[in-house]
Amino acid sequence: MSVQVIGDEALVAKFRAADAALRASERDWLHEAGVIVETAIEANIAAQGLIDSGDLVGSGRVFGQTAHGVTVGFGQDLGYAASLENGSVPHIIVAGTPDGPLATDTFSGRTELSFFWKREGVQFYGPRVFHPGNRPYKFMRNGSEQAMVPLAFMFMRRLRAIFGGSL
């Protein structure tokens, strides 16, 4: 950003000081913005009931901060996170693939899928299971959209502080 003010030298000095303050605090702004987005996404995950294990809601992180940007991510090392965000078509999950939680049968030594089937109220063991697919929950998109108003308030608060409340 470049500021050029012609005229009142006091005003010119004030804008130059504000410009320097903006540049000096940009990394703090970006981090705060990342935390606001992360918090909004966590709230969206919880509001949609996607908290069975807590792994997804607990996977949020603010990272990859550069001088002019920040990244917020969820679901690292959670194979199902992208399917929850974007939805999935019906598919078969086979033991021994990255999709399935595994257990080893102590009698046969075979690798089996093993998980608690919440809808049926039973522990499932077997070599494969048909997954009916799921709708897209769009927790990242929706949470990011829900962060827009808090982000605007944060930016206005910080700008007022830098410009001395004249905004």
Side-chain angles (χ1 to χ4, degrees):
M1 174 171 78
S2 178
V3 176
Q4 181 179 9
V5 180
I6 301 171
D8 187 345
E9 293 305 314
L11 187 59
V12 169
K14 183 176 180 177
F15 273 100
R16 285 196 178 130
D19 181 48
L22 281 169
R23 290 174 193 276
S25 63
E26 185 174 11
R27 291 186 69 80
D28 292 336
W29 286 47
L30 290 170
H31 182 75
E32 185 177 353
V35 170
I36 288 170
V37 173
E38 177 185 14
T39 302
I41 293 169
E42 287 171 348
N44 190 272
I45 290 168
Q48 293 193 69
L50 302 175
I51 54 172
D52 284 345
S53 68
D55 291 344
L56 181 61
V57 75
S59 70
R61 65 205 187 287
V62 178
F63 67 99
Q65 187 169 338
T66 66
H68 304 293
V70 66
T71 302
V72 177
F74 278 80
Q76 182 176 11
D77 298 327
L78 298 176
Y80 60 86
S83 294
L84 288 176
E85 175 70 12
N86 302 313
S88 69
V89 298
H91 57 284
I92 295 173
I93 300 173
V94 178
T97 66
D99 294 332
L102 301 177
T104 301
D105 184 308
T106 54
F107 296 109
S108 69
R110 291 188 344 231
T111 301
E112 302 279 335
L113 294 170
S114 174
F115 59 89
F116 183 73
W117 191 354
K118 190 175 180 179
R119 187 182 74 203
E120 299 297 321
V122 298
Q123 184 70 27
F124 175 86
Y125 294 100
R128 69 182 49 83
V129 67
F130 177 77
H131 189 286
N134 60 275
R135 70 174 179 85
Y137 287 92
K138 299 292 184 189
F139 60 89
M140 292 286 291
R141 186 198 67 197
N142 295 339
S144 297
E145 288 176 358
Q146 291 162 350
M148 292 301 113
V149 171
L151 284 170
F153 278 107
M154 182 272 293
F155 289 130
M156 290 304 296
R157 175 180 45 80
R158 285 182 168 264
L159 286 170
R160 281 189 180 108
I162 287 175
F163 283 96
S166 59
L167 291 176

